[in-house]
Amino acid sequence: KPGRRGGRRAQADYSGGVYGSLLAASVVVGASGLGAFPRLELVLLLLLSGAVFWLAHVHAQLFGARLAQRHPDWPTVAHVCREEWPIVKAAVPPAAAVALSPLLGLDVRGAAWLAASVAVAGQVGWSVAAARQAGASRRLTAVTASVNLLLGLLIVSFKFVLKH
């Protein structure tokens, strides 16, 4: 079924991954006052935030524009859920970084910095994938990567400002 997979890939929308990565970086930067199990709490906060935002996007897609046109059926609901899934997928690498951080000898603060870095890298990666998928020139791909890196670093700079 390579043709089917290739067709699905040709229609891929990476905006959810870009958005989800920025969301994950924001969650890590905004996380403070974690309790007795800070790594577990940060992993859960990342994954649950991704899931909630995914549900919000699914809801907005189904009951925003689509409901005005027609009542959504199950195939439409499933399609929208799959379409918005990159928001959740983008939270997994930063959460995995936090979960694996003890193997790298990182304390909780180091784990948070690693997760934020992974989220920003993911954001840049998703934007490059989107640009390449759209057939953008190398120059435009570099511009979108730079803009997404700047946005990610802006979010991370909040961590410095807030002195986490």
Side-chain angles (χ1 to χ4, degrees), residues 52-152:
V52 167
F53 275 81
W54 169 71
L55 286 171
H57 277 250
V58 168
H59 179 268
Q61 287 290 327
L62 290 174
F63 297 102
R66 294 177 196 241
L67 189 60
Q69 297 169 357
R70 65 183 168 101
H71 184 71
D73 54 12
W74 282 114
T76 301
V77 170
H79 172 76
V80 171
C81 287
R82 280 190 309 274
E83 196 173 76
E84 298 295 335
W85 191 246
I87 294 171
V88 175
K89 285 173 49 176
V92 173
V98 172
L100 297 174
S101 65
L103 298 175
L104 301 172
L106 297 175
D107 61 6
V108 174
R109 185 174 179 189
W113 281 108
L114 176 63
S117 300
V118 168
V120 171
Q123 181 182 342
V124 172
W126 281 103
S127 70
V128 167
R132 292 185 67 189
Q133 183 69 36
S137 67
R138 286 185 180 176
R139 182 174 181 264
L140 188 54
T141 300
V143 167
T144 191
S146 298
V147 166
N148 277 281
L149 179 60
L150 180 63
L151 291 171

